Amino acid sequence: MVNLSATEDEWQSDDETGYENPYDYDPNAVDENDPTVDGDDPSLNSDEDTEEITEDDEDGALAEIEPMYGSVVEWVEGWFTKVIRRRMGSGGGEGGLAWDERWWLYPEVAGRLTAAWYAWEEARASDKPSAMSHWWIQHLEPHLRVIFDGETGPMSHAKADGSFSGWPALPTQSVPPELLDGLLNDPAKGDL
């Protein structure tokens, strides 16, 4: 606790909350302050997986958590465009944030939204209370920065009249045969 009556020389600014930089967040880190880490909790058996799995039927089939949305299209139309609200720029490369209602025309946008949807479904189904917060910070926000980027993002030159439907695919050349074997071998084995 901060002593507000202390003089400037006595001011203590140590953080007693245990706050850590969210960019250093490791969801698998062990909390050294957790009394169950040393095995003090008899309900936890360190030899067993602590994740609870339920059985669905007599055959022992595992119960799967059904996704809330059946596809990325359903998720974008039913959740994403209803919840995510930003003031968009004028479009057409004029700066600000960019969004094209024909998002599915942009392969990168469709791919990023699909990844965000998968992670959203996983966070929604998680029994961790912080899972959804983690999803917002670690998954959605980095994707939104790219998707909505009005300068260099995939929809940065979207026009209201629909005349722009994305930048062309990146050019590529075929890999020369003498290099192909090295690229196809497992780099972990040191073949490169």
Side-chain angles (χ1 to χ4, degrees), residues 130-145:
S130 63
M132 194 54 74
S133 177
H134 178 75
W135 174 81
W136 278 93
I137 295 168
Q138 301 298 323
H139 293 276
L140 184 64
E141 288 176 3
H143 289 302
L144 289 183
R145 280 192 291 277

Side-chain angles (χ1 to χ4, degrees), residues 2-13:
V2 176
N3 181 359
L4 298 177
S5 65
T7 64
E8 187 174 334
D9 294 336
E10 298 170 325
W11 190 272
Q12 182 183 7
S13 62

